[in-house]
Structure formats: structure tokens, C-alpha cells
Amino acid sequence: HCVGIIGAPFSKGQRRDGVQRGPDLIRAAGLVQKLKGQGCIVKDYGNLTFEDIPDDEPVGRVKMPRAVGRANELLAGAVHKVKSDGNTCVMLGGDHSLAIGSISGHAAWRNELSILWVDAHADINTPLTTPTGNIHGQPLSYLIHELHSKIPILPHFSWIQPCIAAKDIVYIGLRDVDPEEHYILQYLGIKTFSMTDVDRLGIAKVMEQTCEHMFSKVKKPIHLSFDIDALDPSVSPATGTPIAGGLTYREGIYITEHTCQTGLLSAVDMVEVNPKQGRTEDEIKSTVTAAVDLLLACFGRVREG
Ligand SMILES: N[C@](CCCC[B-](O)(O)O)(CCN1CCCCC1)C(=O)O
Ligand SMILES: [Mn+2]
Ligand SMILES: [Mn+2]
Ligand SMILES: [Mn+2]
């Protein structure tokens, strides 16, 4: 596996300070060395530098639009470069608004992608449905063709072009979906595996059906967007929006082991690790370790040895 790592120390898609420290914490836990240790060729492209944007007043309900728009424009270029260099892209967040740039840059390289969104949340609120205005709850709404007519003009967002079709998205881990999001998911017929489905089917069947859905027509490169809050807070408490009843560590690893085995993983986001949301060092360590182990499984680490 050839892996290119981008750090995106960005927090303005939500309100809690600390998530910008995710990239350096994950690196400090040995991600690069461990990937090399399992035979990967790794290039660390370093951290992006996000300029400060003063007077970033809300537009409608949407908070920090200019900062989020600019950060993602920068990220999109960086992801495109990593892909053009022939690597599988690893984007370390930072909050989940960064998926706007990560998926946009990936789609600029190859416009036919399957999106696997592992998250407690749907992150598909539009600027008009968002209950909080926080863009980390909205990224997919800017990227889906079928929602384009529902997105108002926002400053520093004009560079974004919808690049994914609703049919190309699969969710795993949903357990905190806003009513408006639920309507959008049903209206667009998006494939979802909530935690109820994980309980009913078991993770092996979920992955079997996820792959069946993704490969039903043509096999496309996979963009895995992994929000660490998909895992149960007992495993990953150091995150901004923890929700009880999440994926076990083993279920998370099964998802990334299985995704690796498809041979189609083309980019992965690992987002929402926030050390300031951990009450103890152990809570931070558990969260960061889970993030690292999930990424190692994306690139060939298997539990059988
Ligand atoms: N759906 C929420 C949470 C988004 C989480 C973003 B992620 O997945 O990147 O962490 C709002 C959640 N909702 C707010 C009102 C009370 C119930 C929960 C939103 O703010 O849009
Ligand atoms: Mn989430
Ligand atoms: Mn998310
Ligand atoms: Mn969050």
C-alpha cells in the first residue's frame, strides 16, 4: 500500500476547541511508523495551514461559512495532489466539515466514487435544515447532486461542485439522525445501516450488504469517511458529539479490515478526535489508539497475524 497522509488541524465546522489537535495526536501515537512497520510506503504531506478569517459572520443559520469554505478549498487541492501522486489518501481531522474538501479533491481526481460514511450521525443537514448551524453536521448536503437545488449561495463555497450521487452513499453506525435528515435519507433512498441494523444483522452481514450495494453496478474507488464518534463512547470518549450505543472496537476494525480487502480503498478520512473532550489521559489514549488501529486495518493489518 502507498499511503499519503494530510493533517487538517481544523475546528470551525463545530464549536468545541481541541479537535484541531487530532492530526498531531494521531501522528504522535506512531501512525507513520506503524504503517511502515506493516509494509506500507508512506509519505507524510504534513499539516495544512488554515489562514484566520476575521468577521466570519453566520449566513442564515450557517456558522463560520468563510473559514470552512476556504479550509476545504485548500484541502481539496491537497487531496487531489496526494491522489495524483498515486497514493491512497489519509486525511486526519479536524472536524467532519473537512469531508467537503476531502471528497471534492478525491472526486476531482476520479469522479465516480463510492462513499462509505461511518458515523453516529448522518451529517446531511442542509443550510436550511441544520438545527445548530455547525457545518460538521452538513458536509454531504453540499456534495450530493440531488440536493444541489436546496443549497443557498454561501461565501467561499462557490468552488464546490456536487460530485456524488445518493445511490453511491452507504452509512454505517447511525443512531442520532435529525428528523429533517431522516426525511432526506428516505426521500433520496440512501442506503443506511443504523445501529439497529448492526444489531439485527451483525457486522459481517452489514459489510456483505454494503459491498453488494456499492458494487451493484460498476466497482468504483471507495472514499471511507470515518467519524470516530461512530464507535461507542466507551471506546472513543474524546470526541465532540459522543452518542451511547455505538460500534464496538471489534466492529470498527471489522469494517476497516473488510474495506481493505475490497482492494478499492482510495481515500480515508479519520475525523473528530478531540483530546479536550477526554476527561482523563486514558480516555484520550483510548480514542487515539482506536483511530490509529482503524487506519492500520485500512492498510492491511489483520488480527489473525
Ligand atoms: N446533527 C447535528 C449533529 C452533527 C454531528 C456532526 B458529526 O457527525 O461530524 O459529529 C445535531 C444533533 N442534534 C442537535 C439537537 C439535539 C439532538 C442532536 C447537527 O449539528 O447537525
Ligand atoms: Mn458524528
Ligand atoms: Mn460526522
Ligand atoms: Mn463532531
Side-chain angles (χ1 to χ4, degrees), residues 96 117-123 136 227-230 239 241 243 272:
H96 220 162
W117 200 277
V118 184
D119 201 325
H121 311 92
D123 295 3
H136 75 155
D227 186 328
I228 202 69
D229 72 29
T239 190
T241 47
I243 306 289
E272 298 281 357

Side-chain angles (χ1 to χ4, degrees), residues 5-8 27 44-48:
I5 297 171
I6 301 173
R27 285 200 188 85
D44 189 346
Y45 289 71
N47 285 353
L48 295 174

